[in-house]
Amino acid sequence: DAMVALPRKPNDAVELTADIVVSYNGTSWSPNCKRETRDLLPHFAQALTHQSMASLPAIFILMLLVRSCNSDDRLRPTKPLSPGDELISSNGLFALGFFSLQGSAANTYLGIWYHNISERTYVWVANRDSPIKSSLPGKLVVSNTSDLVLSDSDGRVLWATKTNNVTTTGSGSGGGATGAGAVLLDTGNFVLRSRNGTEIWQSYDEPTDTFLPGFKLWVNYKTHVAARIVAWKGPDDPSTGEFVLSGDTSTGLQILTWRGSSLYWRAGVWNGATAASFTKSFLSQMIDDGEVAYFTYNRADDSAPARSHWKLDHTGEVMFRVWVEGSSSSWVPLFERPGKWCLVYGACGPFGYCDVKGDVRECRCLDGFEPADGGGGSSKAGCVRKEAVRCGGNNYFLTLPAMKLPDKFVYLTNRSFEECAAGCDRNCSCTGYAYTNASDILLASKCFHWTGDLVDMVKADYTSDHLYLRLAGNGDNYARTNNKINGVHVVFKIVLPLIAFLLILTCIYIFCICKPRGIHQNNGALQVHLRPSQEVWDQSLEFSRITFEDIAAATNSFHETNMLGRGGFGKVYKLAGNTARWQGSCY
């Protein structure tokens, strides 16, 4: 296999590291087929074209180089992978090689990462718990037994596949020289193949903390084994961490995250749908063949981002991320769970649920329940019934829509909805039930029963499951409560606007009607200040008509003998003549 190394500028020296050196018209290259060097081939071809369009040797050499450079995604028995070497997938998205991390530079690992992006992101590590020490450089080879073997310079095997194959020999040669080989696929899957092309091992069978499009997160619920995604121990430590993600080995209907031996997060009960659009760009699938169920996802079309993955972070977060190119290219999370607070497994306690429909995630009690600690704020304490359920007593089932179904269920198949409901109703220890029966499911129906406490529930818009909860009584109390609540809503929605309208009418009545009547009833106390050139006349006040001449006659033309004194508004006169006419009035 050859690899091209062209000078970047005229007269640049070319470092020759191979046995073959090609020189043409003063331009030299060596067979060291790195991806970044292969990208220079178009420029080299253009240079050759400008020099001589009829140069058959140049065209022949260029075709030979392109052909040889297409094999840098493969590992062959005759060519081990050493520090500094890389395998690049044919689409240029992934690279495989040796690497060290900032926090542990003394350790070297063999892994796969995204190629040619600004943020180095690893998707698989072979020897995560057996690093190569910097003083003992390692190498990866295809052995005579068709296995991949990673060893250090002392010959100590740090990691190997176990294919249980016999020694592979070729016609006329010994060892594995013409036997198995490995290739880094465009999906990021590193595949070991026998001489006849049969796949005998793949990195997808031994994932670390990440899975890519086409990967199958499988679970065999008959043998109770499952694929496991194991988080890194830390941001710069790829060794086995404390968080593990896998399918539910007892039912195959859930995806679970464990923290040690304790459940940390639960994705929810699979309702049987075979496919769902996770986003506009990606399609997720859940397949069940009656023994093995698996979850997988793929790009919906070529317009979807080329780089995406599910990742179990060292903090326990399950994330789906896509790489977005732009002025500040970066990973963008489209999904993150559980986050903080009540989405962690069992955070709201028995009969409590995490309400994520609002702006703030908070724990609430199911209808018919109240906080076990009396409202003391301890969500882990959960909730207790307001009225106990008694066998033989009256009870009914309340429908709770848009609920992530609780954990610890009994899964029953081949039941109709009526049979599922009746089975729970007959068993007084049955706390609740749920049922799914859609046209796009693989299995005809799914019936779930719960006994005892209900734990790890979520109320959210993204789920369409209905939970039927057993409560004491015949439903009348709940109906009356609902009617009372609805009545209050009616009062607030109808009566309050009516009251506001009546208040407005009252104000209009007071200012437009009541005020003049009050003035009429107390007209004797009305004070009127007159100027010589004014007349006071307002029929709506129903006063007697008083003219200026009347006042002048009553004061003897404002004679000083009738003046009582002076005030802040002028002279004050006594009225002469018929005083009854002026009774109750003051001028």
Side-chain angles (χ1 to χ4, degrees), residues 8 51 59 116 305 371 406 494:
R8 305 272 175 169
Q51 291 181 21
I59 297 174
N116 281 342
I494 298 178

Side-chain angles (χ1 to χ4, degrees), residues 135-368:
S135 58
L136 300 171
K139 65 178 180 179
L140 177 68
V141 300
V142 180
S143 71
N144 290 340
T145 59
S146 299
D147 280 310
L148 292 172
V149 178
L150 175 66
S151 58
D152 59 22
S153 57
D154 281 349
R156 185 168 62 102
V157 175
L158 303 174
W159 172 85
T161 60
K162 298 179 180 179
T163 59
N164 297 321
N165 284 289
V166 298
T167 301
T168 305
T169 60
S171 176
S173 63
T178 59
V183 59
L184 180 60
L185 301 181
D186 292 344
T187 59
N189 189 14
F190 189 39
V191 176
L192 178 64
R193 292 172 175 162
S194 64
R195 184 173 56 181
N196 62 9
T198 303
E199 293 186 2
I200 54 181
W201 177 89
Q202 60 178 350
S203 60
Y204 272 20
D205 289 337
E206 298 181 10
T208 49
D209 67 331
T210 303
F211 64 89
L212 302 167
F215 172 87
K216 296 179 180 179
L217 185 66
W218 60 270
V219 53
N220 189 320
Y221 49 87
K222 299 289 187 181
T223 60
H224 308 295
V225 294
R228 302 171 72 231
I229 306 296
V230 184
W232 286 23
K233 193 172 185 178
D236 293 319
D237 185 358
S239 62
T240 300
E242 61 178 336
F243 292 99
V244 177
L245 182 143
S246 70
D248 182 1
T249 57
S250 60
T251 65
L253 298 178
Q254 303 182 104
I255 295 177
L256 311 172
T257 299
W258 297 82
R259 186 175 192 174
S261 59
S262 302
L263 266 177
Y264 184 70
W265 177 72
R266 187 177 62 96
V269 181
W270 175 43
N271 64 7
T274 57
S277 179
F278 177 67
T279 69
K280 292 181 179 180
S281 301
F282 297 94
L283 183 69
S284 62
Q285 292 179 295
M286 190 74 178
I287 306 298
D288 186 351
D289 64 6
E291 181 176 356
V292 177
Y294 66 86
F295 167 83
T296 186
Y297 86 99
N298 284 284
R299 299 167 66 199
D301 51 52
D302 292 339
S303 65
R307 297 176 177 90
S308 68
H309 60 253
W310 283 93
K311 176 183 176 68
L312 177 61
D313 192 64
H314 69 277
T315 60
E317 287 290 291
V318 179
M319 300 181 291
F320 179 73
R321 307 192 302 175
V322 298
W323 180 260
V324 177
E325 298 283 359
S327 56
S328 57
S329 299
S330 63
W331 289 107
V332 176
L334 302 183
F335 177 92
E336 291 183 281
R337 290 290 186 276
K340 296 181 179 179
W341 192 221
C342 63
L343 287 179
V344 175
Y345 183 87
C348 297
F351 299 106
Y353 68 91
C354 180
D355 189 354
V356 300
K357 299 187 72 171
D359 295 332
V360 179
R361 297 174 181 176
E362 57 182 340
C363 287
R364 297 180 182 273
C365 290
L366 295 174
D367 292 331

Side-chain angles (χ1 to χ4, degrees), residues 12 43 73 118-119 150 192 212 227 267 276 290 346 420 444 449 457 496 500 570:
D12 275 358
H43 303 288
D73 58 353
S118 56
E119 181 181 341
L150 175 66
L192 178 64
L212 302 167
C420 183
H449 284 183
M457 291 172 287
L496 286 183

Side-chain angles (χ1 to χ4, degrees), residues 104-131:
S104 56
N107 297 327
T108 302
Y109 302 90
L110 175 71
I112 300 173
W113 59 86
Y114 287 100
H115 186 55
N116 281 342
I117 63 173
S118 56
E119 181 181 341
R120 176 64 72 88
T121 306
Y122 301 96
V123 299
W124 181 74
V125 182
N127 57 322
R128 64 186 308 178
D129 293 315
S130 302

